Every structure is written in C-alpha cells, then in structure tokens.
Amino acid sequence: MSRSTLRGSAITAEIRKAQAAAAAAPVDPKAAKKNAKDNAAAAATPKGAGEIRIIGGQWKRTRLPVAQRPGLRPTPDRVRETLFNWLGQDLAGWRCLDAFAGTGALGLEAASRGAASVLLVENDAALVAQLQVLQAKLQASAVRVQRGDGVSALKQATPASLDLVLLDPPFDGPFFEPALQAAAQAVAAGGFIYLEAPRAWADEELAAHGLVLYRHLKAGAVHAHLLQRG
C-alpha cells in the first residue's frame, strides 16, 4: 500500500472519529436552537458515500471522503483533470477561492499544485468539519476553511484580488447569476473563473457579467466552463 493511500485512509479514519466525538459532545443550550436544523440533518443523513482522490501535485492520490449530503456532487475526476490541464500544472503563487467547497476537491487540488492561498467556503456544518480535519491532516498551511455563504464571501473579497475563483454551486439552487456577478468583480485581470453548471452558458449571458469563455467541456450532465474577464 502506498504512502498516499495510507495517509488517505488515516484522514478518513480521523474524520469519522471527529464526527463521532462531535455527536457525543454536550450541546450548549444557547446554541441548540440555532444548530437544531443542522444537527437534525446530520443525524438523519448517512455519512459515507465513497471517496475521490486528488489528481496531481504534492497530495496526488490522497483520498477525500465524500459524505452523503443533500446536493453534494463532487466534480468528476475527468473534469478536474481537464480543468487543471487548462490552467497548467503549476499554480505557484495563485490566490484562490472555492465558493461552494463541498468535499474540497477543487480547492485542495489547487493547493496541491502550489497555490499560495486557498479559501474554502462551505455552508454545511458537517462538511465544514470534514474540511477542517482534512486541512489539519494535510498540514495545508495555504488553505483556510470558512463556514458561510459563497456569494457573500466573493462580495467581501477585495476587488480584482483573486487569480482563480471556483464555482460549483448546487445545480437546483439560485446561485449562478449572483455568484458569477460577484466572481467577476473579485477576479484579477488575467485570472480565471471556473463554472460548473447543468447547461452551457451562452456568450451573451457571460458578456452581461463582463466575462468571456476561454474553454468548455461537457461530461455527462456537467458543463465545465473556464472564464476570463472580457
């Protein structure tokens, strides 16, 4: 068994331990009402739904657990591989924001390939806890995990401060338009926005946000777009 496989197995075990500890911990009465919805969803949803792997860079072949959460749909391996072929294998110095992080596959792939900073933003408490465990086990000092709304995080970013924005929102949600608008303001000239969507976005739709299509790939039900500011 390879070192990467052993490390991936250790990360999965650590995540399961953290989830068990969180379930056994006493609940703060003041926080109970606020967290009731998240806790109920976590208790009702099976935890394990498989694994994916980081494709390239320093953490190549590291396993990432995929929790069974509503709307969670990890970017397929083929699409991730193509995306980072488009971007180039070396992202040294890049500033990145993964606005709908989920499993963290996209953002961690960027960090694995040398990105200087990667902010993983996720709204689901259970997925945030999983991302925090991964960040600690990988000793990923360039990665920061933040619980919250991805669109709001983009709006709060300094204008033209990011080299890569990763957008993979829930396909049935209302996030595409506001996320693209916010990302177009946050990305630097010459930077990239990755958009994963259930349909191809037309040139005129992108132009309304000041964006142009650089690359496009259709893989099954997924349309992968790599965009730049026009």
Side-chain angles (χ1 to χ4, degrees):
M1 184 178 293
S2 71
R3 184 177 302 173
S4 295
T5 301
L6 288 170
R7 179 168 54 185
S9 299
I11 290 172
T12 301
E14 191 70 21
I15 288 169
R16 288 173 180 161
K17 187 188 297 182
Q19 289 171 336
V27 177
D28 181 352
K30 292 183 180 180
K33 185 175 181 180
K34 181 174 181 286
N35 294 331
K37 191 175 293 185
D38 287 335
N39 292 341
T45 308
K47 290 291 186 281
E51 294 177 328
I52 55 176
R53 295 172 185 262
I54 293 177
I55 294 169
Q58 63 175 317
W59 303 319
K60 184 177 181 179
R61 290 188 290 274
T62 296
R63 296 177 180 181
L64 304 178
V66 179
Q68 199 168 49
R69 305 296 291 172
L72 183 62
R73 177 191 36 75
T75 301
D77 287 358
R78 174 193 168 194
V79 175
R80 278 188 291 125
E81 183 174 14
T82 299
L83 169 62
F84 286 93
N85 285 338
W86 288 341
L87 294 171
Q89 300 302 317
D90 184 3
L91 272 59
W94 287 38
R95 302 154 296 173
C96 310
L97 191 154
D98 189 347
F100 304 90
T103 63
L106 287 170
L108 290 173
E109 194 81 55
S112 182
R113 296 164 191 259
S117 66
V118 179
L119 176 59
L120 303 178
V121 182
E122 175 53 51
N123 204 35
D124 185 294
L127 293 177
V128 168
Q130 178 173 293
L131 290 170
Q132 289 170 336
V133 170
L134 282 167
Q135 189 274 341
K137 295 297 291 185
L138 291 171
Q139 299 181 0
S141 59
V143 175
R144 185 161 61 93
V145 179
Q146 175 179 307
R147 186 181 181 192
D149 175 68
V151 175
S152 296
L154 286 167
K155 289 179 178 178
Q156 291 165 11
T158 302
S161 64
L162 299 171
D163 300 296
L164 176 63
V165 174
L166 299 160
L167 301 178
D168 182 13
F171 278 6
D172 58 353
F175 303 106
F176 288 97
E177 288 282 355
L180 275 175
Q181 182 176 358
Q185 298 301 312
V187 74
F192 293 95
I193 297 170
Y194 170 70
L195 173 66
E196 193 166 312
R199 65 173 179 86
W201 279 61
D203 290 344
E204 55 269 23
E205 293 178 290
L206 298 172
H209 298 289
L211 300 171
V212 295
L213 182 65
Y214 180 75
R215 293 284 190 274
H216 174 263
L217 167 72
K218 183 180 186 300
V222 171
H223 286 264
H225 310 71
L226 189 59
L227 314 172
Q228 288 189 299
R229 284 170 48 185

